Amino acid sequence: GIKMGKFKLLAFFLSLSSIMDTATAVTHYAIPEEMDEGSVVANLATDLGLDVRSLSRRKMRVDVVGNKKYLDINKDTGELFILERIDREFLCPLKTTTSCFLKLDATIENPVRMFNIEVEILDINDNAPHFRRGTMHLDISESSPVGERFSLNNAADPDVGANSVKNYHLKENYTLEVLESAVVGARFQVEGAHDPDVGLNSVHSYKLNHNQYFQLDTEDFGEEGKVPFLVLKRPLDREESPQHWMLLTATDGGKPPKSGTMNITIILSDVNDNPPVCGKPKYTVTIKENAPVGTFLLTINASDADEGANGAVEYSLRSKHRGPSSELFDLNSKTGRLTVRGQLDYEEKQMYELKVLAADRGAVSLSTQCNVVVRVEDVNDNQPEIDITSLSSRIKEDAAPGTVVALMGVTDLDSGVNGQVVCSLSEDLPFDLKPSPDGQSYSLITKDYLDKEITQVYNIKLTAKDLGSPSLSSTKLIQVDVLDVNDNSPLFTESPYTFYVPENNRAGLSIFSVTATDADGGDNAAVSYFLDRKSTGSPITSFLNINEANGTISALKSFDFETLKTFRFQVVASDSGTPSLSSNVTVNVFILDQNDNAPVILYPVSSNGSAEGVEEIPRNVNAGHLVTKVRAYDADIGYNGWLLFSLQEVTDHSLFGLDRYTGQIRTLRSFTETDEAEHKLVILVKDNGNVSLSATATVIVKLVEPKEAFAASDVKSAAKDDEDNNVTFYLMITLGSVSVLFIISIIVLIAMQCSKSPDYTSKYLQETNYDGTLCHSIQYRSGDKRYMLVGPRMSIGSTIVPGSHANTLVLPDRRRTSEEVRFTLNCNICRWRKVFQTSHFTLKK
C-alpha cells in the first residue's frame, strides 16, 4: 500500500511537470488586421502535433487572455479561424509599441494539456491622414516681429511606421491673412527676394501693382538688404471683399535690370462687426388650439454677414410679458424652428407675441430681436354647461300651464358657432323650455296640468348642444316631485253593493263591509265612512252602525225574514282633504230565511185550540175513501217550509193510510164487523229544514152505521156546503192572484230583456204573499243570475240551489232564447197542478 501511494505521487509530479513543460512552449502566428470573419489562421492541431480525430473527444478549446475573444478553434478540424473582425488601432491604441499581440490559451482534456499561442496583428494602411481642423486661421498683427514662428497643427494618422505622416509641403503662392479690423497704417512684412548676385546686381527695388487698400514701403536692413512692407492705407471690409490679390515685383540694379515677381494673396480674417438681421420684420402664424405637442409653426431665419462664429446665429425665445406663455412654445436654437410645446387654449388666450433673440457667437456677441405673432384659432373643444340658477323641485299637480319650474343659464367657452348653444328636453314630458331673447338662459315651464295619480316624480333630462362641427353636448337631470291635491273622490269597489244576511243574526256583530279607495295620497286619501240616514228615510238605518275607519257595518238587532225580507240604504265615503270630497253607494240587503218557525196545524182544530178533531164515517165505505185532510202551515220558505206528513200513531195500520205530501187520510180497505168502532190517528207534520221542526195533530175516526151517517151528513150538509163554497171562493181568488202575479213577472222580465242593461242591480221582481194554505214566491236578480224565493208550499219537484239556505230557486238567464220556465204549485186545500210555459225561460224542476 505504501509503495502504491508513492507511485501515484510520483506519477502526479511527472504529469504536472509535463503540463508545465507544455505550457512553456509558445506557438507564434502573424496575421494582418481587418481579415474577414471565418478566415483560417492556421491548423493549430497540426502545428501542435495533435490527432485531429481525437479533438472532439478531448474537448479542445481556446481562451483569450485579457482580451476579447476574436479567435476560436474548429473542434472537428483543429483550424484556428477569425471569429470577429480585428482592428489593430482599437486593440493596441498606443503608438509607444510597434508590435501588437493577441495571446491565447489552447486546452485539451484526456489527458489535460495547455498550449500558449501568440498571434501578432500586423498593421495595414487603412487610415488616411487628416487634420483635426479643416481650416486654420492665422491672425497677423502689425506688431508681429519679423521671423516670428507660427505653429501649425499636426495631421493625425492612427497608422504607424511607414504608414504614418512623413512630410509636410507648402504651397508656392504666398498667402497673407489679415484681420479686417486692422487700423490704417498697419505694416505687414513680406518675404523679400533673394538674389545670388551682389552689389548693383542684387535686389535694388520693389514695386507693387496699384490697389486701393495697400501701398508698398521698404526698409534697408544692411546685409539683409531691403525688406518690403505692405502698409494699410484704408479700412478693410471682409464683407465687401474677403480677398485681395497683388503682384510684387523685385528689380535688381543691373543693366539691363532683371526682375522677378511673386503673387501675394491677402485673406481678410473676419471680425464680428455685423449683427444678425431678421428675415422678416414680423413673423405671423395661425394655429388651431388643439394642435398636438410638436406641431411645427414656422422657422425664424436671421442672417449675419460675418463668418465663422461671428456669423453663426443662435436663437432664444423671449416673452413680451413675463408669464408662462413662453413655456407653450419651443425654439430650436440652431435652426430657428418654432414648434408647439404645451397645450394651447383659445379660451385662455387668443394671441401670443413672442420675441426671438438672434445672437451670433462672436467673442463680443451681437444680437437682434425678431417679432413673432402666434394667433390661436378656436376649435369646438368645450362642452356646453348648464347652470341651474333657480329650481322649484315641488310642484302642485293643479299648477296652471306656464308655471316656472326652473331657471337655468347655458354657457360655452368656445366662440362663434362653436359657442352657440341650443337646449332641449324629452318630448313626452308635460314640460317645455322657453329661451330668453339673448339665448343665454332658459325657463323650464309646465305645458299641461300634472297628475300625481299618474306620475309622482318627473326626472327631467336637459340637453345642451352647441352648433359646432362635430357638435358637443352635455346633460343635466332635474327631479320634480308632484305635490298631491285633493282632486279625486273616493270610489267604492262595487256599485251598488248586494249582501245576503241570514235572519236571526246576533245583534252587535258585523254583517258585511264596504270599501272605497282614493287615488290621492296622504290625508287626501284617508277615507272615512258614514251612513246616509237622511236621504233614504228608512227607519232600518237606525238599527245599523258603521265603522268610520274600515267601513264595517254591524246590525244592532236581529233580522226576521218573516217580518223583513229586504231593505236598502246608502253609505257615504269622505276623504280627509281640504276641501273634503265624498261619494256614496247604495247597499241592497236581502234577508235569508232560516228554519225558525215550526209548522202550524190549521185543521183539525178543536174548540179549545188543540190540534184534535173527530171524523165519523159509515162503516160500509170502500177502500180509498177520503176520511179527512190534515192542513198545516209553515211561515218559512223553501225546504224550511216544505211540510211532510207521517203517521206517528195509529190503532190499526191496515185500515188507514196517510199521503205523505198532501196530508189526506184514506181507508186502505173496507171495514168488517170485527173492526173497532173508534180509531185514533196521531199525525206528525215536520218541515225539511236542516234542523227539522214539527207539530202533531190527532184525528179520531168513528165508524157509524150508514143510517146514522146519512142523518149526520144531512145535519152537517148545510155547514159542509157553506164551507166548500167558501173554500172554492178562496181558491178562485188565490188562483187569479197567482196568474196575475205571473203575468206581471213575465212582462217585467221581457222589459228588462229589451233594455239590455249590462249590469243589473238586485231588485225584487215581485213580492206576493199568501196565507199558509197556498204557495208564495219572491223573485229577484243579482248580477247575471236570477233567483226566486218560494214558500211556504213549494213543489216537491223544484230544484234548490246549493248554498241558498234551502229556500232559493235559480232562474235561467233571461237573455237566453228557447228556454222554458216550468212552475208547479201544489196546494193542500185542493189537489191541482198547473204548468206555466213561456218562450223565454223555465223554472228548473
Side-chain angles (χ1 to χ4, degrees):
I2 297 175
K3 292 181 179 180
M4 182 61 68
K6 291 181 178 180
F7 175 76
K8 289 183 179 180
L9 183 61
L10 179 61
F12 171 75
F13 282 111
L14 291 176
S15 174
L16 181 61
S17 175
S18 175
I19 293 174
M20 293 296 293
D21 293 341
T22 303
T24 55
V26 178
T27 303
H28 181 83
Y29 297 102
I31 61 172
E33 63 175 331
E34 301 293 345
M35 289 183 69
D36 295 333
E37 295 179 2
S39 299
V40 177
V41 176
N43 194 316
L44 187 60
T46 303
D47 296 341
L48 296 178
L50 301 176
D51 186 3
V52 176
R53 292 174 296 177
S54 63
L55 294 180
S56 177
R57 178 176 55 83
R58 301 184 68 180
K59 299 179 181 180
M60 185 176 187
R61 68 176 183 273
V62 173
D63 298 323
V64 180
V65 179
N67 292 293
K68 189 175 181 182
K69 188 175 182 180
Y70 291 100
L71 302 175
D72 201 355
I73 188 169
N74 189 321
K75 296 178 176 58
D76 295 329
T77 62
E79 292 177 340
L80 185 66
F81 63 92
I82 303 296
L83 182 64
E84 187 177 350
R85 186 183 66 89
I86 303 174
D87 187 359
R88 183 186 181 281
E89 287 73 32
F90 176 80
L91 187 62
C92 303
L94 299 178
K95 290 188 177 184
T96 54
T97 60
T98 57
S99 299
C100 180
F101 294 96
L102 183 63
K103 295 183 179 182
L104 309 174
D105 287 338
T107 305
I108 60 174
E109 299 178 358
N110 300 320
V112 178
R113 296 185 64 187
M114 183 181 293
F115 305 94
N116 293 331
I117 302 170
E118 184 179 77
V119 180
E120 182 180 2
I121 308 302
L122 302 178
D123 182 51
I124 63 174
N125 191 17
D126 57 346
N127 293 282
H130 65 279
F131 291 91
R132 289 186 178 88
R133 291 190 302 171
T135 304
M136 184 187 68
H137 298 280
L138 182 61
D139 296 333
I140 303 176
S141 65
E142 60 178 345
S143 61
S144 298
V146 177
E148 183 176 355
R149 297 169 63 88
F150 299 93
S151 175
L152 301 178
N153 290 326
N154 293 330
D157 190 338
D159 297 323
V160 297
N163 297 324
S164 63
V165 178
K166 293 298 182 180
N167 299 308
Y168 292 90
H169 300 278
L170 298 178
K171 294 183 178 180
E172 295 180 356
N173 292 335
Y174 186 82
T175 302
L176 180 64
E177 189 171 353
V178 179
L179 291 174
E180 63 172 335
S181 61
V183 297
V184 176
R187 295 166 62 88
F188 302 93
Q189 181 180 351
V190 181
E191 181 180 356
H194 298 277
D195 192 336
D197 296 330
V198 294
L200 294 176
N201 293 325
S202 63
V203 177
H204 182 266
S205 62
Y206 293 91
K207 181 180 179 182
L208 187 65
N209 66 324
H210 178 74
N211 67 87
Q212 56 181 342
Y213 291 98
F214 294 92
Q215 65 182 5
L216 184 62
D217 187 17
T218 59
E219 290 186 8
D220 191 356
F221 286 89
E223 292 182 357
E224 294 183 5
K226 296 181 178 179
V227 178
F229 289 89
L230 297 179
V231 180
L232 184 62
K233 62 180 181 180
R234 59 175 299 179
L236 300 173
D237 189 355
R238 191 199 64 82
E239 290 72 33
E240 181 179 348
S241 179
Q243 292 182 357
H244 298 274
W245 294 272
M246 293 171 287
L247 182 63
L248 180 63
T249 303
T251 306
D252 58 18
K255 291 183 180 181
K258 294 180 178 181
S259 63
T261 61
M262 180 179 65
N263 293 321
I264 299 176
T265 300
I266 297 178
I267 299 176
L268 300 182
S269 298
D270 183 54
V271 174
N272 193 20
D273 56 350
N274 292 283
V277 177
C278 297
K280 294 181 180 179
K282 179 182 289 187
Y283 291 88
T284 304
V285 66
T286 302
I287 187 69
K288 292 183 181 296
E289 63 174 326
N290 63 345
V293 175
T295 300
F296 171 74
L297 296 176
L298 52 85
T299 299
I300 296 96
N301 185 16
S303 59
D304 194 321
D306 297 321
E307 68 175 7
N310 297 330
V313 180
E314 291 184 344
Y315 303 91
S316 59
L317 193 60
R318 298 290 184 269
S319 176
K320 181 178 180 181
H321 303 287
R322 292 184 178 180
S325 61
S326 59
E327 299 177 358
L328 299 176
F329 304 96
D330 191 14
L331 181 64
N332 190 306
S333 61
K334 302 297 182 182
T335 62
R337 282 175 56 90
L338 184 65
T339 56
V340 177
R341 180 181 180 184
Q343 184 62 50
L344 303 179
D345 191 354
Y346 175 86
E347 289 70 37
E348 181 178 346
K349 195 170 184 180
Q350 294 81 36
M351 185 179 69
Y352 295 89
E353 294 184 7
L354 307 177
K355 296 296 183 181
V356 176
L357 183 67
D360 57 31
R361 293 191 297 177
V364 179
S365 178
L366 300 179
S367 63
T368 187
Q369 282 189 344
C370 301
N371 297 320
V372 179
V373 176
V374 179
R375 290 188 173 88
V376 181
E377 184 177 341
D378 181 49
V379 295
N380 193 23
D381 59 344
N382 290 279
Q383 293 180 344
E385 294 183 1
I386 302 175
D387 183 21
I388 305 299
T389 58
S390 178
L391 173 62
S392 298
S393 60
R394 299 164 65 86
I395 302 296
K396 289 187 176 181
E397 61 178 327
D398 62 346
T403 301
V404 177
V405 178
L407 297 176
M408 66 198 75
V410 291
T411 57
D412 194 319
L413 297 178
D414 296 320
S415 61
V417 294
N418 296 332
Q420 296 180 11
V421 182
V422 176
C423 285
S424 62
L425 48 79
S426 302
E427 296 180 356
D428 56 348
L429 296 177
F431 299 92
D432 200 0
L433 285 175
K434 183 179 180 182
S436 63
D438 59 358
Q440 299 299 315
S441 61
Y442 286 83
S443 300
L444 179 63
I445 61 175
T446 59
K447 67 178 180 181
D448 201 351
Y449 285 100
L450 307 179
D451 191 349
K452 183 181 185 296
E453 288 70 44
I454 297 178
T455 305
Q456 298 181 0
V457 178
Y458 287 95
N459 291 315
I460 306 172
K461 184 179 180 181
L462 302 173
T463 302
K465 185 177 182 181
D466 60 31
L467 301 180
S469 180
S471 179
L472 299 179
S473 62
S474 62
T475 60
K476 176 154 286 192
L477 192 65
I478 296 178
Q479 180 174 312
V480 176
D481 297 329
V482 181
L483 298 180
D484 184 54
V485 175
N486 193 23
D487 57 348
N488 290 279
S489 300
L491 295 178
F492 286 93
T493 56
E494 298 182 25
S495 181
Y497 280 95
T498 300
F499 297 104
Y500 301 93
V501 180
E503 64 175 333
N504 303 322
N505 58 295
R506 292 182 59 183
L509 296 182
S510 61
I511 51 178
F512 49 78
S513 63
V514 296
T515 303
T517 58
D518 196 316
D520 296 319
D523 292 339
N524 297 329
V527 180
S528 300
Y529 302 90
F530 307 94
L531 291 176
D532 187 359
R533 304 180 188 274
K534 297 180 180 180
S535 62
T536 59
S538 176
I540 194 64
T541 56
S542 61
F543 298 100
L544 300 177
N545 189 26
I546 189 169
N547 189 318
E548 296 184 0
N550 56 26
T552 301
I553 299 174
S554 58
L556 303 180
K557 71 168 188 175
S558 296
F559 296 112
D560 185 7
F561 175 81
E562 289 70 34
T563 304
L564 180 66
K565 295 178 176 58
T566 180
F567 63 91
R568 70 174 56 185
F569 61 94
Q570 287 191 335
V571 177
V572 179
S574 300
D575 58 29
S576 300
T578 304
S580 177
L581 299 179
S582 62
S583 61
N584 55 11
V585 68
T586 299
V587 180
N588 295 317
V589 181
F590 295 94
I591 308 301
L592 301 179
D593 182 49
Q594 301 293 314
N595 192 24
D596 59 344
N597 291 281
V600 178
I601 305 298
L602 298 178
Y603 179 83
V605 177
S606 63
S607 60
N608 59 5
S610 62
E612 184 176 353
V614 179
E615 295 290 339
E616 293 181 354
I617 61 172
R619 183 181 286 275
N620 61 349
V621 296
N622 297 323
H625 177 75
L626 176 63
V627 177
T628 188
K629 180 178 182 179
V630 179
R631 298 194 301 271
Y633 168 78
D634 195 321
D636 299 319
I637 64 173
Y639 276 115
N640 298 328
W642 182 17
L643 301 180
L644 297 176
F645 301 86
S646 63
L647 283 173
Q648 187 176 18
E649 181 181 346
V650 62
T651 56
D652 191 349
H653 289 281
S654 65
L655 285 176
F656 302 98
L658 177 64
D659 189 292
R660 183 180 181 185
Y661 302 107
T662 63
Q664 294 179 350
I665 301 174
R666 294 182 182 273
T667 59
L668 298 178
R669 63 178 175 83
S670 299
F671 294 98
T672 64
E673 294 296 334
T674 59
D675 291 331
E676 296 291 336
E678 182 175 322
H679 298 272
K680 181 180 179 181
L681 285 74
V682 179
I683 293 90
L684 176 66
V685 182
K686 64 177 181 180
D687 56 30
N688 281 275
N690 292 333
V691 179
S692 180
L693 301 178
S694 64
T696 59
T698 303
V699 176
I700 298 176
V701 180
K702 293 181 179 182
L703 301 180
V704 297
E705 295 300 326
K707 294 181 179 180
E708 295 178 0
F710 179 77
S713 63
D714 289 339
V715 174
K716 297 179 181 178
S717 61
K720 187 71 174 179
D721 292 340
D722 292 340
E723 181 180 356
D724 291 340
N725 292 335
N726 291 335
V727 170
T728 302
F729 177 73
Y730 292 146
L731 180 59
M732 293 177 63
I733 293 177
T734 301
L735 293 175
S737 301
V738 171
S739 299
V740 172
L741 176 62
F742 187 73
I743 293 173
I744 293 174
S745 300
I746 292 176
I747 294 173
V748 171
L749 292 174
I750 293 174
M752 293 175 64
Q753 173 67 21
C754 295
S755 65
K756 294 182 179 180
S757 174
D759 186 16
Y760 296 93
T761 59
S762 300
K763 298 181 179 179
Y764 287 104
L765 303 179
Q766 184 70 26
E767 179 181 355
T768 306
N769 292 321
Y770 298 92
D771 59 15
T773 62
L774 293 179
C775 301
H776 68 277
S777 65
I778 299 175
Q779 300 182 31
Y780 63 94
R781 184 176 188 84
S782 177
D784 294 335
K785 294 184 178 180
R786 299 173 60 246
Y787 301 92
M788 175 178 286
L789 303 180
V790 182
R793 280 291 177 265
M794 185 178 69
S795 172
I796 61 175
S798 300
T799 302
I800 306 301
V801 176
S804 61
H805 301 281
N807 60 7
T808 304
L809 299 178
V810 174
L811 293 180
D813 192 345
R814 71 185 184 87
R815 288 169 289 186
R816 299 178 182 176
T817 61
S818 300
E819 296 183 358
E820 292 184 349
V821 175
R822 178 172 295 173
F823 186 81
T824 305
L825 299 175
N826 292 327
C827 299
N828 290 331
I829 297 176
C830 60
R831 301 172 67 183
W832 57 274
R833 174 177 293 176
K834 191 170 185 178
V835 178
F836 297 92
Q837 296 185 348
T838 66
S839 60
H840 279 286
F841 32 81
T842 301
L843 179 63
K844 291 184 179 178
K845 196 172 183 180

